[in-house]
Structure formats: C-alpha cells, structure tokens
Amino acid sequence: FANSIYTVKGGIGKDVWVGTERGIVRLTYSEGEFQYRYCESSLSKVYDIIQTDDKTIMAAASAGVFHIDVNSGNLACIRPGFARAVYDMGDGRFLLGLSTGLFMYDCAYPQQTSLIKDVDVYNIYRTADGRWWVGSIDSGLYRFSEDFSACAYFRSGGKEGLPDNGIRAFIEDFSGNLWIGTQNGACKYYTRAELFDFYARTIDDDTDTDKLSVHSVEKTADQSVPPQRYLRLHRRRADRISTDCHDQNQVLFACNNPSSKNRFHNLLY
C-alpha cells in the first residue's frame, strides 16, 4: 500500500491501525495472522490514529484532523491544517495537535478551544498524575495541569533545560519519571524534583560529529536484566540507532541519523 509508515496504533479488540503516506490501513489479527480489512486512501501522510469505538476512528493527517466512519467510509474534517497528533481525553473531548497550535475539541457542542497558538505541535502525552505534556517540532516542551488551568514551558539551554527544542517522544517509567526523546538525544525528567537529566546527547569524536535524534521511547516490563549503568547505542548504515537502557526501569530508544556509521558507543551516566 505504501513504503512510508508514520504510525502504528492498536485499536479496539484485535485491530491494528497503520498510518502511511497514502492513507490508513486496518489490520485484524485472526487465525494466527493479520488480515487486511480496511483502507482509506483519500488522506495522505497520516501521522496519528485513535479508535473511538467499534466503527469510528480519528486521524491526524497533512490535511487536518478527520473523523472517519469505518463502515461507510465517510470523512468529516474536524479542523483543517497540517496535523500530527490527536489524543482522546476520554470524556468526549479530544486534543488536536497541528502546525498552528494545540486545540481542544468537544464533541458535545461541538466547539474548539485554543490552548497553544503559533506552535507546531508534534505529539501529546498524559502522565499518571493527570498532567499533559505537549512536544513541538522546534519550540520546546509544554506541560499543562490536569484541568489546563496552569502551563509550564521548557526550552533547551542551561543545566536544567532540555537537550534540544525538537521533542519527538515520551514515555513514563515505573517510578513516575518521564523520558523524553529529542532531536539531540534523550533526557529524563524527575517528576518530584522537577529536574532534567541528560542521557544521550551529541557525539563528538575525531571521525564524526552527529546528533542522536530520538524518535521513539518505550519501556519494558522485563525486570530480569541486572541493573547496568550505561546506554548502548548501535549505530548502523540503515539510518537507525537501537539503544537499550538496562536499569531498574528499562527504556528502549529508537533514533534516526542519516549520516550514522557502523560502530558502538557506550555512554556512562
């Protein structure tokens, strides 16, 4: 269907939704394999997908945020514009991340509220304490209180800043701390102390100067690996870095570096 895959999201039941450069693919796991069930090709560059019920999904695409009836194929544009993120708040409201800012959409009215203006939003994440985290393409990180009454803003620079203003990934570990992937490495945000700690940044040596662009951060539940205080970065010509953090809370990093070379780097922390 397409060579460029932008997102893969689990849906209701055994459905898996795939956002591609040419639209949406729906896969259903049955009898030991995935069956191709649905294709929506009228959208291009689909960056995010959420399934709201058995028959409807919402998608963030290059043309805007869309509500799609899977059975009929009908599309309704909720908000036009370049969109990369959509988040179901669970109460009939949705957060929409576009190149023009962050918006809250309420299905009951419907109406939209602007929360951030003139910021290119890349992703949206909610931590267990109820706070909302919004990453941007190149404008830093925003943190909202649970009811959106308060907002904190973080940028790169300084001991307590981010390693880079390009935010690409979030994951909360088992201790309630937030791991953040950026255009220039990964960092850990200690929730109680409200401090950032760098774990991977620009690599400078005699043969190469490159940025570790972290595009995906995931945690594992496997506690069998003994704690080891290092990050191991495998740099390959396939333009991808696989990084494993073996600690009490294991975190996996996937990075993208166009000029990467074949070699390993160990970063102590």
Side-chain angles (χ1 to χ4, degrees):
F1 182 75
N3 292 325
S4 296
I5 306 298
Y6 295 118
T7 185
V8 179
K9 289 292 187 68
I12 297 175
K14 297 182 178 181
D15 288 339
V16 175
W17 297 90
V18 183
T20 77
E21 62 181 338
R22 297 182 181 178
I24 301 172
V25 175
R26 180 185 185 184
L27 304 174
T28 300
Y29 190 75
S30 177
E31 298 180 355
E33 63 180 5
F34 283 100
Q35 305 288 336
Y36 177 89
R37 289 189 56 190
Y38 173 81
C39 171
E40 170 54 59
S41 58
S42 61
L43 297 179
S44 62
K45 295 183 179 179
V46 178
Y47 292 94
D48 201 6
I49 305 168
I50 55 173
Q51 186 172 4
T52 57
D53 55 42
D54 291 338
K55 64 178 182 179
T56 57
I57 61 174
M58 291 182 67
S62 59
V65 181
F66 292 84
H67 183 276
I68 304 172
D69 187 313
V70 176
N71 295 332
S72 66
N74 291 333
L75 281 77
C77 182
I78 296 174
R79 188 174 186 90
F82 199 107
R84 290 187 178 89
V86 56
Y87 195 103
D88 187 354
M89 300 177 67
D91 56 1
R93 296 181 300 168
F94 297 86
L95 293 177
L96 316 178
L98 288 89
S99 60
T100 54
L102 178 71
F103 303 87
M104 182 187 297
Y105 171 74
D106 194 333
C107 295
Y109 295 101
Q111 65 179 17
Q112 297 180 27
T113 303
S114 177
L115 300 173
I116 305 175
K117 295 181 179 179
D118 302 323
V119 171
D120 195 345
V121 174
Y122 189 85
N123 45 24
I124 304 167
Y125 190 80
R126 191 179 191 183
T127 47
D129 60 9
R131 292 190 290 187
W132 302 91
W133 298 80
V134 180
S136 69
I137 286 290
D138 56 10
S139 301
L141 174 65
Y142 294 81
R143 185 191 68 199
F144 287 92
S145 59
E146 186 173 6
D147 60 357
F148 291 93
S149 61
C151 177
Y153 177 52
F154 305 94
R155 286 184 60 88
S156 63
K159 183 179 180 180
E160 299 178 358
L162 293 166
D164 192 86
N165 286 325
I167 309 300
R168 297 296 178 265
F170 298 109
I171 195 70
E172 184 177 12
D173 66 21
F174 298 99
S175 298
N177 299 312
L178 186 66
W179 293 78
I180 304 167
T182 78
Q183 279 288 85
N184 189 14
C187 66
K188 183 177 182 180
Y189 179 77
Y190 291 89
T191 306
R192 293 182 180 178
E194 297 194 346
L195 295 174
F196 289 97
D197 193 6
F198 300 131
Y199 278 78
R201 299 190 67 179
T202 304
I203 291 179
D204 296 300
D205 55 33
D206 295 337
T207 58
D208 182 65
T209 299
D210 203 359
K211 286 188 175 183
L212 302 175
S213 180
V214 181
H215 284 255
S216 177
V217 186
E218 299 293 337
K219 65 181 177 183
T220 71
D222 184 7
Q223 301 293 313
S224 62
V225 180
Q228 301 178 36
R229 308 294 292 180
Y230 67 86
L231 298 178
R232 196 177 192 187
L233 282 67
H234 183 193
R235 310 186 70 182
R236 298 179 288 182
R237 293 188 184 278
D239 299 338
R240 187 176 180 83
I241 301 177
S242 299
T243 310
D244 296 317
C245 173
H246 300 305
D247 205 337
Q248 294 179 355
N249 299 307
Q250 298 181 62
V251 179
L252 308 179
F253 297 94
C255 313
N256 183 13
N257 291 77
S259 60
S260 297
K261 298 180 180 179
N262 292 315
R263 65 178 182 274
F264 286 88
H265 289 272
N266 291 336
L267 301 184
L268 299 177
Y269 66 91

